[in-house]
Amino acid sequence: MPPAAASTEVTSSSADVQRRHNEGHGRRLTAAFEALEAFPALAESRNRLLRVVRQERISTGEVVAAVESDVALVISVLRLGNQVEGKSRGKVESVVQAVDLLSPEAVQALATRARTFDFFERSSVWDAAPERFRLHGVATQRAADRLATEAGYEDRDRLMVTALLHDIGKLVLMHAYPGYPGQVHGNARTPEERIHRERRELGVDHALVGGVLARRWGLPKAVASVIERHHADDAQGEAAFVRLADMLAHYSQGSAVSPTELLKCARTIGLGPSELRAVMYDLPYPTTGRTRQIDPCPLSGRELEVLKRLAEGKVYKQIALELSLSTSTVRTHLHNIYGKLGAVDRAQAVLIATERGWL
């Protein structure tokens, strides 16, 4: 056989091997994408959501909080919300928007149908993966919320979704490659080292795969792109918030992180060393940060002003003087406030308004 022909045959053979290799990767990932359709919710999260939606007076804020505590519930509610016909179809970026669109009956039906897992009854398909995944997702979500408070980031509703779902690509890789993550990551210590190992060993990384999965689910581009870019060196905006929150979650769970990368990413979202130190100090403690106002406030502007002063411990005469009202008018406002909030005294009224984010 002439040398040129032999060379052509070797090249063709190598191309066939590479093509089969790529097809194998594609089949594995496609099967894993389909398997994620059955990813379970934590049984306790599902049960809490059912209790909330079955109450006589349903609070949107409580429904949102129950959904946002669980990866599978967030995915299901967002997917359903993005399928609703109308101007918002395919544009629902947060659980708040989805819950506003869906009826309590729809959310209840979704929760009732949800597959569940329990720490004491592990699934043969996913084993301990849902527990580990949820713990890191919630830790990242908490860190992102703390960063949003520190940096004054306003789009917290969407950030709660992207922070919780940022690692969904890991679930795909876990299902597609039985040796993942241990064999792929090896002795890699930091998030940056692990992402480089994934690219080298698999040709893709979990962030890219997560973005593809989010798009397959019909989630908005803004959500998918944050998931896809949360490990990018040049991440900006919400992707940078999630990248930093991910590093802080690893830090708070005792894993190694790069101080240089932490500070570099913090500066991208406008935080310096002193602000970053404050966030890192706060993370182990169960702080809720600034309460999000989700439920519509039933109080008028004047009633809210009265309640704010009541929360400061001021008496009727002080409130009347500051607002140029008579004492009897202040009493009338308070009577109306108690009625609208279902409160029996000032302490309960202040507590309800604070918990709902109105004060």
Side-chain angles (χ1 to χ4, degrees):
M1 181 184 295
S7 174
T8 302
E9 187 174 304
V10 169
T11 302
S12 176
S13 176
S14 297
D16 287 343
V17 169
Q18 184 62 42
R19 178 175 54 76
R20 287 196 295 271
H21 178 72
N22 290 339
E23 287 175 352
H25 269 305
R27 283 194 295 270
R28 282 172 177 258
L29 292 176
T30 299
F33 286 145
E34 291 170 356
L36 260 292
E37 295 289 335
F39 188 70
L42 179 68
E44 182 63 20
S45 295
R46 190 276 306 270
N47 294 341
R48 290 189 182 202
L49 177 57
L50 285 174
R51 285 198 295 270
V52 170
V53 294
R54 286 169 178 166
Q55 291 175 356
E56 187 175 342
R57 294 182 64 179
I58 298 175
S59 160
T60 302
E62 289 180 5
V63 175
V64 169
V67 172
E68 285 182 344
S69 71
D70 189 90
V71 177
L73 292 178
V74 166
I75 293 166
S76 297
V77 167
L78 277 183
R79 291 182 72 179
L80 189 59
N82 276 290
Q83 292 168 9
V84 175
E85 292 294 342
K87 293 181 179 179
S88 61
R89 184 179 174 87
K91 299 177 182 177
V92 179
E93 299 176 346
S94 71
V95 175
V96 176
Q97 287 177 285
V99 170
D100 278 341
L101 277 172
L102 302 172
S103 67
E105 292 76 18
V107 175
Q108 181 176 336
L110 177 150
T112 302
R113 293 193 306 269
R115 293 178 176 86
T116 61
F117 75 92
D118 185 273
F119 179 82
F120 302 105
E121 299 173 6
R122 292 185 177 177
S123 143
S124 58
V125 177
W126 294 104
D127 190 38
E131 297 146 42
R132 292 196 302 267
F133 187 83
R134 179 180 176 276
L135 288 173
H136 178 66
V138 171
T140 304
Q141 192 183 56
R142 184 180 300 133
D145 199 34
R146 179 65 182 83
L147 289 169
T149 300
E150 192 71 30
Y153 186 68
E154 291 300 324
D155 206 343
R156 293 170 77 199
D157 292 339
R158 187 179 64 208
L159 182 61
M160 292 302 94
V161 167
T162 54
L164 187 68
L165 301 186
H166 73 286
D167 271 350
I168 51 173
K170 285 187 176 181
L171 293 172
V172 177
L173 296 181
M174 201 178 299
H175 195 279
Y177 304 100
Y180 181 88
Q183 292 178 18
V184 173
H185 291 162
N187 61 357
R189 296 175 65 249
T190 68
E192 290 74 29
E193 290 172 359
R194 289 192 287 271
I195 207 81
H196 287 308
R197 286 288 181 92
E198 290 176 10
R199 291 167 184 164
R200 188 182 72 190
E201 299 295 325
L202 304 176
V204 294
D205 60 61
H206 70 267
L208 177 62
V209 171
V212 173
L213 180 58
R215 290 183 176 90
R216 280 176 64 102
W217 282 337
L219 303 189
K221 180 181 178 182
V223 172
S225 63
V226 169
I227 293 171
E228 184 177 276
R229 292 191 51 75
H230 80 271
H231 275 299
D233 290 334
D234 59 348
Q236 298 288 326
E238 193 163 313
F241 271 95
V242 174
R243 184 186 179 205
L244 182 55
D246 175 66
M247 285 191 274
L248 290 174
H250 283 297
Y251 164 79
S252 68
Q253 293 168 330
S255 301
V257 293
S258 165
T260 303
E261 291 297 326
L262 267 176
L263 193 52
K264 174 185 167 186
C265 195
R267 286 183 169 132
T268 303
I269 64 171
L271 300 183
S274 60
E275 292 91 351
L276 185 56
R277 287 190 192 98
V279 171
M280 294 172 76
Y281 179 82
D282 284 346
L283 279 182
Y285 307 103
T287 53
T288 55
R290 178 168 52 94
T291 304
R292 289 149 70 202
Q293 182 179 334
I294 295 173
D295 294 299
C297 182
L299 306 181
S300 68
R302 181 62 83 185
E303 288 166 349
L304 203 53
E305 289 296 325
V306 170
L307 189 58
K308 284 177 182 176
R309 285 161 177 77
L310 200 67
E312 294 167 0
K314 294 175 179 175
V315 298
Y316 294 176
K317 286 185 179 179
Q318 287 176 291
I319 297 173
L321 186 62
E322 288 186 15
L323 297 178
S324 301
L325 300 171
S326 67
T327 306
S328 62
T329 301
V330 171
R331 285 199 182 93
T332 300
H333 281 313
L334 289 174
H335 176 77
N336 293 337
I337 290 168
Y338 295 164
K340 289 179 179 180
L341 299 185
V344 296
D345 55 29
R346 70 161 64 192
Q348 190 180 17
V350 169
L351 178 63
I352 292 171
T354 302
E355 287 179 341
R356 300 289 172 83
W358 300 329
L359 285 183

